[in-house]
Amino acid sequence: MDTRHHEADALEQHYARQGYRQPHTLGQLLRQWAAQHGEATALVAGTTRLSYAQLDLKADRMAAGFARLGVARGDRVLLQLPNDAAFVVCLFALLRLGAWPIMAMPAHREKDVAALCQLAEPVAYVAPRTFLGFDYLPLAERVKRSQPALRHIVFDGDAGPWTALAAVDETPRELPAPAHTDTALLLLSGGTTGTPKLIPRSHADYAYNAIASARLCGLSRDAVYLAALPAAHNFPLACPGILGTLSVGGRVVMAKTPSSDEAFALIHAEGVSFTALVPPLVALWLEAREWDRTDLSSLDLLQVGGARLAPELAARIPPALGCRLQQVFGMAEGLLCYTHLDDPWETVVQTQGRPLCADDEVRIVGADGRPVAAGEVGELQVRGPYTIRGYYRAPEQNARSFTAEGFYCSGDLVRLTAEGNIVVEGRVKEQINRAGEKIGAAEIERPLSTHPDVESCVVVAVPDERLGERSCAVVIGRERVPTLAELQRHLGALGLPRYKQPDQVLAVPAWPLTTVGKIDTQRLVALALRPPAAEHEAAIGAPRPYAECRVEVERAPIDLCLALARAGLADDYTIYEQPDEWSIGLGRLVTLGADAGQAWLTRAGQARQTFRRARLVDAIAAATQAIDVLDWRAYGVARFELSRVFHGLNVQAQEDPLLELFVPEYEVRIRHGEALLRAIDPAALPRLQAALAQADRQAERGMPAPADAALVDSLRRHQQEAYKTRVSGAVADISARRYQKVILSRRIPLPAGVDLPETYRCGRARNTPARSYLVQLGDLRVAGFSPETVVEVSADGRVSTQPLAGTRALGANREEEARLREELLCDAKEVAEHAVSVKLAHDELASVCDDPGVSEFMTVSRRGSVQHLASRVQGRLREGRHAWDAFEALFPAVTASGIPKRAGIDAIHRYEGTPRGCYSGCVLIVDSHGAMDAALVLRSIYQRGGESWLQVGAGLVAQSTPERELEETNEKLGCVIKHLVLSPAKVAVGTEVV
């Protein structure tokens, strides 16, 4: 017999003698647990509550149903179900049958699923019909066409032509049972990329994995576990997770997503005592806890694993969540390490615990394969009673990942403390080979995170022609991101030698995450790859970086932006004001346009690049991916008629694109007295800097006199009777139930000579907008003071919208404003109008987001000369969704169209007769990180081809009257009309402006 086989057999015998190989399958264990705990609740998922006896019976029936389909012991079944009762029932049914579930994630898509099928040749594929907006039927059908072994497609939900999971049900019968030493299931390796690695876990070793973990964590029948992470993962499934909780008679609560909105509510409702998260989700929970006041007093223990937990983040957990912390370090291949519940706080925060089992053999080796000295960092190798000896069908990988003695080479860089606790220092592949010097990323990250301006950081290795690899510090800043020189000085003061100090700094607004919630370091490396400027011309299609510098400024941001707009740097520009930042983009470097059938990119001197997809927003998203500029931000407009495309209505041919964005040649962003200057041509950066310096030195200009009262009165009276007639017709249509609400507008021409930049400056000084903007694109100019955003999307996928509906004037003084505010809050018509708007926004977000919720309801916002009822609806984009999906769902704003939107948009076309263009569309910014901010275009002035005009509307419901809606339009006009600035050659005013 081969020496290695002899040693392996000897180890197996030792493990059996020690009791690690109990002669029970996982299916048999469920039977025992049901006998012990009978009517106690085992599982809660939505409205479904199953006792242990019910869960056991359902698993029996489904096992018999799969057997009827021909699924037998040893067959592979691809299991891709989300956290729901069906997942647990189906898992135990397959375990009882002896079939091997392949534990796929709901977020996996065709490439991943096809690769798993190619490797494991499953006979059946079990998936939800839909989950978080994604339809799995087309995916499954495409995969089946290329996989001859795949005989059955089973859907939880509407199965169409395939098999419904509910129909996989049969009277229980005796079935050939697997052996406890047989493979129970195939887990996916956490490192799976293009080629999947499948981890075969036996019934015996996986039962030990879960039951011993439950014992270490002190679980009892009182335990209530929240499965917040995807249940197909080793961590929530068996560490101790679902299986460990069931082994002691506890209760498992399934959360469809780990979002704080869902999880906090479940913790409170079900008395959850413990749960498990990965560090990026911990940060989100802690952020939510700053404003969320849900009672989480039942939560006793939070397990954190899957990646290094920063000590600073760990320290925030007990005070914010009111629970204990346990660090968990391990791998689906086997070894699990836990901090113990009675460990000192320093051990819990600074280490990742010690091995679960006394027979876990751990050794730490250097690059030469020899053990390192005590306390030194090296690669972790492990062998033990629940650690595998090889991946499934992967001989070449096994030769690399397992030693001749059967030790698994984890790829983790660790060190052992004197007490025997493991401290994870990174991954072997996270080492940076800088000019021959091997540097662990964690060696730089830990001292880097102590800089007062660094909120969190990751260090990645970036290919470099001179050094081989350079170190790039990717930083999320607090108020600002430190410069490279500042970080190097900080690390030098802490004693880090120069070669360990980063060679590059990259600022990101949020971490890009993989499907399992880990930081996507590959994407960070791609962002950090910035070719030297001299190579840009030679490298065809190479992304171009901006040259940048920062300067302090004293003048008001609006004055600086207006001065730059007038400086002659470019013909086209957009000024955009957000709550904490003013920015201006000047000159078209790349233009992105879209009409009803396609999106396109144009660049100076190059042919148009066209993108066509079944959905226009997918074509737009594809176009943004092709923008060959690093860290870009695009500025521009979406015209109202784009909504007709989104809602399946015909769009008349028109001169302007429906969407028009540009990536600027120059950009300035101003925050808190500091300006970031960016120029695509490094040689042009001094010109931009000089223009800003000159603007900062200019004397402050006084405000012009308010618009002539006679002019204001004349403009307000323009075509009042015609507008009231249209309102009467629309209210009649609403009463006939053709729609619930529609917004009708009046277009009011202005006299010649309107100075738009000065009107913008004057109006902004006397308005309180949610956003403001000044746009010049060709001969189109728009200036305005937006009362609300249509959609805000952060780089990490958080989505927010702020519907406003219900309006009153501010009044002449504080007392009148208070009276009108109370009147607004008590007006049944205004409250009803607002409520239906919020409901629609919630429903729209639900189509693209996880668990949308209303974070503010019916507050009163002051916007210029009026006050509005305002609410905020928020959610998080589902896996696979992008900012343009959220834009499509919410555009146009309900404040600008009506309810239902399709009928409202069509009614607007019938009643108003002419295209709205920018009015009630958006001015927006989007960027390369996936963020978007879109301001609703209302309270604005428009200029084109020598014409200037205003446009203003009101929301009509069944209770509307023509007189009140006309009055509302005049109230809103006050936000702009009083601040008109005319050129010195004043135009005579008659009784009507035509």
Side-chain angles (χ1 to χ4, degrees):
M1 179 182 286
D2 187 292
T3 304
R4 284 175 293 179
H5 289 163
H6 177 76
E7 184 179 0
D9 289 344
L11 278 171
E12 284 301 314
Q13 292 170 19
H14 170 71
Y15 296 153
R17 287 194 301 271
Q18 294 298 111
Y20 306 133
R21 296 286 185 266
Q22 290 297 307
H24 308 293
T25 67
L26 290 166
Q28 290 166 344
L29 285 172
L30 175 61
R31 184 94 67 219
Q32 293 178 17
W33 302 336
Q36 289 176 285
H37 308 296
E39 297 309 311
T41 301
L43 185 66
V44 177
T47 58
T48 300
R49 305 182 78 87
L50 297 179
S51 68
Y52 278 81
Q54 290 170 324
L55 176 59
D56 183 55
L57 178 60
K58 281 182 173 290
D60 263 350
R61 296 188 66 90
M62 190 173 286
F66 275 117
R68 175 171 50 81
L69 292 178
V71 178
R73 177 179 175 180
D75 283 340
R76 276 78 61 205
V77 175
L78 186 67
L79 184 62
Q80 193 184 16
L81 289 175
N83 292 17
D84 207 344
F87 171 88
V88 180
V89 173
C90 193
L91 173 65
F92 275 111
L94 295 171
L95 293 170
R96 190 160 281 173
L97 188 60
W100 303 359
I102 303 166
M103 308 299 284
M105 301 294 142
H108 284 146
R109 295 297 181 253
E110 186 173 346
K111 179 183 176 183
D112 307 296
V113 172
L116 292 170
C117 290
Q118 186 71 31
L119 175 61
E121 299 178 302
V123 300
Y125 175 18
V126 185
R129 172 56 197 270
T130 61
F131 180 61
L132 300 182
F134 182 78
D135 188 348
Y136 289 79
L137 189 147
L139 181 156
E141 291 181 331
R142 288 194 299 269
V143 169
K144 187 178 187 304
R145 286 195 288 269
S146 62
Q147 303 297 331
L150 190 57
R151 302 197 302 269
H152 303 287
I153 297 176
V154 182
F155 286 118
D156 184 20
D158 177 13
W162 305 101
T163 303
L165 186 60
V168 183
D169 182 78
E170 194 81 11
T171 301
R173 58 188 174 90
E174 285 295 323
L175 298 168
H180 70 284
T181 53
D182 283 356
T183 295
L185 71 170
L186 294 169
L187 297 171
L188 271 62
S189 170
T192 295
T193 53
T195 304
K197 297 195 294 287
L198 293 176
I199 301 165
R201 300 296 297 266
S202 74
H203 289 270
D205 81 57
Y206 211 52
Y208 175 80
N209 188 114
I211 294 170
S213 295
R215 188 181 306 119
L216 182 142
C217 293
L219 300 193
S220 68
R221 295 183 64 165
D222 296 328
V224 182
Y225 177 65
L226 177 69
L229 296 172
H233 262 300
N234 183 47
F235 192 9
L237 184 57
C239 304
I242 295 169
L243 296 180
T245 302
L246 294 176
S247 76
V248 299
R251 183 163 81 249
V252 173
V253 179
M254 305 293 274
K256 290 187 184 298
T257 74
S259 71
S260 59
D261 288 348
E262 179 180 3
F264 289 177
L266 287 172
I267 291 169
H268 172 64
E270 295 294 336
V272 168
S273 59
F274 80 114
T275 188
L277 294 176
V278 293
L281 290 173
V282 173
L284 292 175
W285 277 29
L286 295 179
E287 181 181 320
R289 202 62 183 150
E290 292 177 5
W291 54 266
D292 182 276
R293 293 295 176 264
T294 305
D295 180 4
L296 305 182
S297 58
S298 65
L299 188 64
D300 176 61
L301 180 67
L302 175 66
Q303 297 180 299
V304 181
R308 288 191 302 274
L309 177 65
E312 297 79 11
L313 191 63
R316 293 168 55 196
I317 291 170
L321 298 178
C323 65
R324 295 180 291 174
L325 166 67
Q326 181 181 55
Q327 291 216 47
V328 183
F329 164 66
M331 52 211 68
E333 289 82 357
L335 175 72
L336 295 174
C337 298
Y338 295 87
T339 57
H340 289 217
L341 301 184
D342 57 355
D343 278 340
W345 177 243
E346 189 70 15
T347 300
V348 173
V349 172
Q350 298 292 345
T351 82
Q352 282 67 58
R354 46 198 181 274
L356 171 67
C357 177
D359 278 308
D360 281 323
E361 299 177 73
V362 168
R363 65 188 191 189
I364 302 172
V365 303
D368 58 2
R370 296 178 180 178
V372 300
E376 291 294 315
V377 175
E379 182 186 6
L380 173 67
Q381 296 183 352
V382 61
R383 183 174 69 180
Y386 57 101
T387 297
I388 64 169
R389 293 302 187 93
Y391 292 110
Y392 179 69
R393 292 183 176 178
E396 293 182 3
Q397 183 66 49
N398 289 340
R400 294 191 296 270
S401 297
F402 295 86
T403 70
E405 304 99 317
F407 279 83
Y408 169 60
C409 305
S410 69
D412 292 299
L413 292 172
V414 305
R415 59 181 172 86
L416 272 181
T417 68
E419 298 76 26
N421 288 293
I422 283 177
V423 178
V424 179
E425 299 287 2
R427 295 278 296 168
V428 171
K429 63 183 180 181
E430 289 174 359
Q431 279 193 321
I432 302 152
N433 189 352
R434 184 186 188 277
E437 294 283 356
K438 303 287 179 58
I439 310 162
E443 293 182 75
I444 309 174
E445 289 169 352
R446 286 182 176 169
L448 203 62
S449 66
T450 64
H451 191 286
D453 288 328
V454 173
E455 181 175 301
S456 56
C457 63
V458 168
V459 174
V460 294
V462 180
D464 187 277
E465 287 189 4
R466 184 172 59 89
L467 298 171
E469 289 181 340
R470 66 178 181 267
S471 59
C472 176
V474 189
V475 175
I476 295 177
R478 298 186 190 277
E479 294 299 322
R480 58 183 289 273
V481 174
T483 65
L484 179 61
E486 289 171 334
L487 291 178
Q488 289 174 339
R489 284 195 297 271
H490 175 74
L491 296 178
L494 294 176
L496 251 70
R498 174 62 190 89
Y499 76 90
K500 288 189 178 182
Q501 296 169 18
D503 303 298
Q504 178 184 358
V505 172
L506 173 67
V508 295
W511 297 121
L513 302 179
T514 66
T515 57
V516 300
K518 296 185 179 182
I519 293 174
D520 189 342
T521 54
Q522 291 185 355
R523 185 172 170 192
L524 295 180
V525 171
L527 290 172
L529 279 169
R530 297 174 180 243
E535 296 177 0
H536 289 166
E537 294 178 6
I540 297 174
R544 292 169 286 177
Y546 281 96
E548 297 181 346
C549 68
R550 292 181 184 271
V551 299
E552 293 184 358
V553 292
E554 295 183 2
R555 291 288 306 280
I558 188 171
D559 293 332
L560 296 174
C561 289
L562 284 169
L564 290 171
R566 298 185 183 104
L569 294 166
D571 293 330
D572 291 339
Y573 61 83
T574 295
I575 297 171
Y576 194 79
E577 177 198 1
Q578 298 180 80
D580 295 318
E581 180 187 88
W582 286 73
S583 63
I584 179 170
L586 299 122
R588 298 192 190 216
L589 179 65
V590 181
T591 299
L592 189 160
D595 58 23
Q598 62 187 0
W600 63 83
L601 292 178
T602 57
R603 306 168 182 85
Q606 296 185 29
R608 174 185 284 196
Q609 187 177 0
T610 302
F611 302 83
R612 291 185 176 87
R613 301 289 189 275
R615 295 168 64 236
L616 181 58
V617 289
D618 288 335
I620 295 167
T624 65
Q625 295 297 314
I627 294 174
D628 55 347
V629 180
L630 286 169
D631 194 21
W632 54 263
R633 177 187 283 182
Y635 297 74
V637 299
R639 292 173 169 87
F640 178 77
E641 283 65 40
L642 179 60
S643 64
R644 296 185 67 86
V645 179
F646 292 165
H647 290 274
L649 298 167
N650 291 330
V651 182
Q652 295 177 345
Q654 52 188 33
E655 178 184 347
D656 297 319
L658 300 176
L659 177 74
E660 187 174 7
L661 299 170
F662 69 95
V663 177
E665 296 179 274
Y666 303 94
E667 186 184 20
V668 176
R669 305 179 189 179
I670 305 170
R671 296 171 62 94
H672 311 303
E674 184 181 70
L676 170 65
L677 286 69
R678 312 175 85 212
I680 200 67
D681 179 0
L685 189 60
R687 183 185 178 197
L688 179 62
Q689 194 168 359
L692 183 67
Q694 181 178 353
D696 206 29
R697 290 192 299 268
Q698 288 176 354
E700 191 167 326
R701 303 171 67 172
M703 286 292 171
D708 182 88
L711 171 63
V712 170
D713 181 63
S714 175
L715 294 173
R716 281 179 169 159
R717 289 187 288 104
H718 179 74
Q719 294 189 351
Q720 293 188 26
E721 294 306 316
Y723 180 70
K724 287 162 66 175
T725 299
R726 292 203 305 274
V727 169
S728 295
V731 171
D733 280 348
I734 293 170
S735 299
R737 298 190 176 181
R738 292 188 175 92
Y739 33 81
Q740 293 176 266
K741 176 181 177 180
V742 67
I743 284 78
L744 290 189
S745 68
R746 316 163 51 197
R747 178 170 166 140
I748 302 170
L750 296 174
V754 174
D755 185 331
L756 203 61
E758 279 300 291
T759 297
Y760 174 58
R761 189 171 72 92
C762 182
R764 179 60 189 87
R766 295 157 183 161
N767 264 290
T768 51
R771 302 289 188 272
S772 76
Y773 42 78
L774 176 62
V775 178
Q776 180 164 303
L777 295 175
D779 66 344
L780 171 71
R781 302 175 87 192
V782 183
F785 318 105
S786 175
E788 66 181 89
T789 54
V790 178
V791 62
E792 301 164 49
V793 185
S794 66
D796 63 352
R798 285 173 290 181
V799 183
S800 174
T801 186
Q802 187 185 31
L804 299 187
T807 306
R808 281 295 185 277
L810 286 183
N813 51 52
R814 185 174 298 176
E815 291 73 20
E816 187 178 5
E817 179 180 341
R819 179 183 61 77
L820 290 169
R821 172 194 175 108
E822 189 64 26
E823 182 181 300
L824 174 62
L825 288 167
C826 297
D827 188 318
K829 177 261 181 186
E830 302 287 11
V831 171
E833 180 184 351
H834 185 76
V836 295
S837 299
V838 174
K839 175 64 167 60
L840 178 61
H842 181 278
D843 292 347
E844 290 171 335
L845 269 192
S847 68
V848 294
C849 286
D850 294 331
D851 302 316
V854 179
S855 60
E856 303 169 16
F857 182 64
M858 226 167 67
T859 61
V860 176
S861 292
R862 303 172 89 252
R863 293 288 185 257
S865 60
V866 290
Q867 50 189 323
H868 295 285
L869 294 178
S871 294
R872 183 168 293 279
V873 187
Q874 296 178 309
R876 181 173 291 278
L877 283 174
R878 294 191 187 119
E879 184 70 32
R881 296 285 192 167
H882 47 65
W884 290 104
D885 289 310
F887 182 82
E888 180 187 44
L890 292 162
F891 184 84
V894 62
T895 313
S897 58
I899 302 173
K901 279 189 177 177
R902 190 178 193 276
I905 293 163
D906 201 37
I908 287 167
H909 177 71
R910 286 188 288 105
Y911 279 107
E912 296 186 357
T914 58
R916 285 185 166 184
C918 287
Y919 170 70
S920 67
C922 288
V923 172
L924 69 163
I925 56 173
V926 296
D927 70 25
S928 57
H929 303 292
M932 173 184 288
D933 196 278
L936 174 60
V937 177
L938 301 177
R939 322 291 159 81
S940 297
I941 306 172
Y942 312 87
Q943 289 185 334
R944 188 161 207 173
E947 291 184 278
S948 299
W949 68 95
L950 300 170
Q951 197 155 351
V952 63
L956 314 182
V957 293
Q959 299 93 332
S960 293
T961 64
E963 291 74 18
R964 170 57 201 149
E965 302 313 326
L966 176 65
E967 180 185 11
E968 182 174 319
T969 63
N970 283 330
E971 290 169 350
K972 292 172 180 176
L973 274 175
C975 298
V976 178
I977 202 170
K978 295 177 181 178
H979 314 305
L980 287 175
V981 178
L982 302 180
S983 59
K986 189 173 181 180
V987 178
V989 178
T991 57
E992 183 82 16
V993 178
V994 181

